[in-house]
């Protein structure tokens, strides 16, 4: 083999200045700056109200017992290896995740119309979905609820999609602005993409009722809009995994198409494992096959293939009846404690401000107890 003689390095800037000297200092990302400030604060009586992590009474990040059990089993499995996963992730994880979201009896799943790919938590599930729509969908406009999760605009706009908003929460009445929502979606661009929070709306905690979801579904289909669900809190809102997936299942079983970004960060406490999925419900199995082929091309330059450990944990829990039951019991206990803590906060606030009218208190109480996300 012929080797070339190394060339003398070319000096670009004789004065020693950096090639990046004109870069400005970006401001801190607030939610992570809050965490850094919390960690530096020496006060023993402090509470972390920044990034959304379920914590114990001692303020520690909580690892579910069922997760610890599964991790021990995985560690003891000497036959396991660290081989790369396929581009679309662990097949069994994808199958089980789709069934958890759409129901094991979903017609769309039975007809092979659902494509599910493992992604790097909910954020990359949203980003992969946005990239897919930017490349393969004719309408590049996404309507976001006002307000919405702070990272939604970043994730969606980074794919080159245009952002608009629709009315969602009325801060004056402290309830869902359902009429405003219907009016805005009714006048939205035909074929536009609409982002919905499947349950546990972030940051308000206010969700439509099942009857309201059905009205939304009918309007979306009549207007030819494309629903894109973000599902980060399944099981933590009502304490029941099936109930919290009802909004998605309404759209998933009506023969239309939709996208769903799914995360296991909150409901399994797998924050640092960054494990989630993107599902796309298609009109036919043939379309689903072609959609999957294009998703592979999108994932390849982003992260090539997803990590294995979190997927192995989720798969082990979802496929085993006893482990699944342990998980749902722990999930229900987490949800119940969240309600209890918020009730205590609500009572304390009312005691400090007795001027609140009974009507305002009732509205505050209804919404406060429904909030389960950071």
């Amino acid at each position: 083999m012929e080797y070339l003689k190394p060339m003398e390095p070319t000096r670009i800037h004789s004065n020693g200045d950096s090639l990046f000297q004109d870069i400005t200092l970006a401001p801190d990302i607030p939610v992570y700056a809050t965490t850094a400030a919390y960690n530096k604060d020496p006060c023993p009586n402090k509470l972390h109200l920044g990034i959304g992590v379920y914590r114990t009474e001692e303020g520690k990040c909580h690892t579910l017992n069922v997760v610890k059990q599964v991790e021990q089993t995985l560690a003891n499995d000497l036959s396991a290896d660290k081989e790369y996963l396929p581009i679309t992730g662990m097949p069994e994880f994808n199958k089980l995740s789709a069934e958890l979201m759409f129901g094991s009896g979903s017609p769309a799943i039975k007809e092979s119309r659902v494509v599910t790919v493992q992604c790097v938590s909910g954020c990359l599930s949203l980003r992969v979905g946005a990239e897919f729509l930017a490349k393969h969908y004719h309408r590049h406009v996404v309507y976001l609820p006002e307000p919405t999760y702070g990272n939604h605009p970043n994730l969606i706009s980074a794919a080159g999609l245009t952002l608009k908003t629709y009315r969602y929460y009325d801060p004056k009445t402290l309830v869902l602005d359902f009429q405003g929502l219907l009016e805005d979606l009714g006048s939205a661009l035909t074929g536009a993409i609409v982002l919905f929070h499947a349950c546990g709306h972030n940051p308000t905690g206010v969700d439509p009722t099942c009857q309201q979801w059905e009205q939304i579904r009918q309007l979306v289909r009549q207007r030819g809009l494309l629903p894109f669900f973000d599902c980060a809190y399944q099981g933590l809102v009502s304490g029941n995994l099936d109930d919290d997936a009802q909004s998605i299942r309404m759209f998933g079983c009506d023969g239309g198409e939709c996208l769903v970004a799914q995360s296991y960060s909150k409901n399994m406490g797998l924050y640092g494992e960054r494990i989630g999925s993107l599902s796309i419900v298609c009109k036919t199995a043939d379309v689903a096959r072609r959609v999957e082929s294009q998703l592979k091309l999108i994932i390849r330059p982003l992260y090539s293939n997803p990590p294995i450990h979190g997927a192995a944990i989720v798969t082990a829990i979802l496929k085993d009846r006893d482990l699944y039951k342990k998980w749902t019991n722990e999930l229900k206990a987490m949800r119940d404690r969240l309600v209890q803590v918020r009730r205590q906060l609500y009572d304390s606030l009312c005691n400090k401000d007795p001027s609140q009218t009974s009507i305002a208190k009732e509205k505050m109480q209804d919404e406060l107890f429904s909030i389960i996300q950071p």
Side-chain angles (χ1 to χ4, degrees):
M1 181 179 294
E2 182 180 352
Y3 290 93
L4 297 176
K5 180 180 180 181
M7 297 179 63
E8 291 294 324
T10 301
R11 186 175 295 277
I12 304 299
H13 290 282
S14 58
N15 60 1
D17 289 340
S18 170
L19 294 172
F20 309 109
Q21 65 179 356
D22 294 330
I23 291 179
T24 59
L25 182 66
D28 289 336
I29 298 172
V31 67
Y32 291 102
T34 302
T35 298
Y38 173 88
N39 291 334
K40 291 180 181 178
D41 190 340
C43 178
N45 299 319
K46 59 183 180 179
L47 291 174
H48 195 337
L49 302 180
I51 198 164
V53 173
Y54 180 88
R55 299 189 182 277
T56 65
E57 291 291 336
E58 296 73 33
K60 304 295 183 182
C61 180
H62 175 65
T63 302
L64 276 65
N65 291 326
V66 68
V67 170
K68 293 178 181 178
Q69 179 182 343
V70 169
E71 288 195 304
Q72 188 61 59
T73 301
L74 293 174
N76 293 337
D77 184 3
L78 300 181
S79 66
D81 58 39
K82 301 297 181 183
E83 180 64 83
Y84 287 121
L85 288 178
I87 293 178
T88 55
M90 188 178 293
E92 191 172 19
F93 166 85
N94 292 337
K95 175 181 179 295
L96 294 169
S97 292
E99 291 176 350
L100 182 69
M101 188 60 57
F102 298 101
S104 57
S106 165
I109 291 179
K110 290 182 177 180
E111 296 164 9
S112 301
R113 293 190 289 109
V114 179
V115 176
T116 301
V117 295
Q118 179 187 335
C119 294
V120 184
S121 199
C123 287
L124 261 292
S125 301
L126 288 162
R127 179 62 186 277
V128 170
E131 292 284 350
F132 171 80
L133 293 172
K135 288 180 171 63
H136 301 288
Y137 189 61
H138 70 279
R139 183 68 80 181
H140 290 177
V141 176
V142 181
Y143 286 82
L144 303 178
E146 178 60 42
T148 194
Y149 168 49
N151 210 19
H152 276 158
N154 302 326
L155 295 166
I156 303 300
S157 63
L161 299 174
T162 300
L163 303 180
K164 292 182 178 292
T165 61
Y166 62 91
R167 282 171 284 177
Y168 188 86
Y169 178 73
D170 187 341
K172 293 181 180 180
T173 60
L174 309 178
V175 297
L176 177 71
D177 184 1
F178 188 57
Q179 188 58 40
L181 181 154
L182 294 179
E183 290 175 1
D184 288 351
L185 295 188
S187 62
L189 294 171
T190 302
I193 305 154
V194 183
L195 185 79
F196 293 115
H197 298 232
C199 60
H201 177 270
N202 182 350
T204 69
V206 177
D207 293 330
T209 64
C210 284
Q211 291 76 17
Q212 289 172 331
W213 270 122
E214 176 57 22
Q215 288 182 255
I216 293 171
R217 186 196 67 79
Q218 292 180 19
L219 177 60
V220 165
R221 296 310 190 197
Q222 290 169 3
R223 295 281 302 146
L225 305 175
L226 178 61
F228 192 165
F229 285 93
D230 183 5
C231 186
Y233 306 104
Q234 186 182 3
L236 279 171
V237 178
S238 67
N240 184 287
L241 289 158
D242 293 323
D243 289 347
D244 287 353
Q246 283 306 306
S247 59
I248 292 172
R249 293 180 185 182
M250 287 181 183
F251 285 83
C253 70
D254 69 355
E257 294 173 304
C258 65
L259 290 81
V260 181
Q262 181 181 19
S263 171
Y264 289 99
S265 292
K266 314 296 183 183
N267 58 11
M268 282 196 186
L270 299 175
Y271 312 99
E273 298 296 346
R274 312 308 293 147
I275 178 66
S277 72
L278 171 70
S279 292
I280 302 181
V281 180
C282 305
K283 277 284 188 179
T284 67
D286 178 62
V287 171
R289 182 176 59 84
R290 285 181 275 147
V291 165
E292 183 180 42
S293 72
Q294 292 297 332
L295 287 173
K296 293 177 182 178
L297 299 184
I298 291 170
I299 291 171
R300 176 61 172 158
L302 286 177
Y303 53 88
S304 193
N305 48 35
I308 193 171
H309 189 64
I313 295 172
V314 173
T315 301
I317 292 172
L318 295 183
K319 74 178 183 180
D320 184 278
R321 180 177 300 178
D322 291 336
L323 293 175
Y324 184 89
K325 184 176 181 180
K326 289 181 180 179
W327 172 48
T328 55
N329 287 340
E330 288 194 73
L331 186 58
K332 178 66 162 55
M334 291 165 63
R335 183 266 181 187
D336 290 347
R337 178 171 172 269
L338 285 170
V339 172
Q340 178 187 23
V341 169
R342 283 166 170 78
R343 183 183 297 275
Q344 293 172 345
L345 174 61
Y346 166 78
D347 290 341
S348 178
L349 290 173
C350 287
N351 290 335
K352 290 182 178 297
D353 187 7
S355 64
Q356 291 281 350
T357 65
S358 59
I359 295 178
K361 282 185 178 181
E362 183 178 353
K363 289 180 178 178
M364 287 177 62
Q365 188 175 34
D366 288 344
E367 304 309 334
L368 184 60
F369 295 162
S370 71
I371 298 174
I372 53 76
Q373 78 288 316

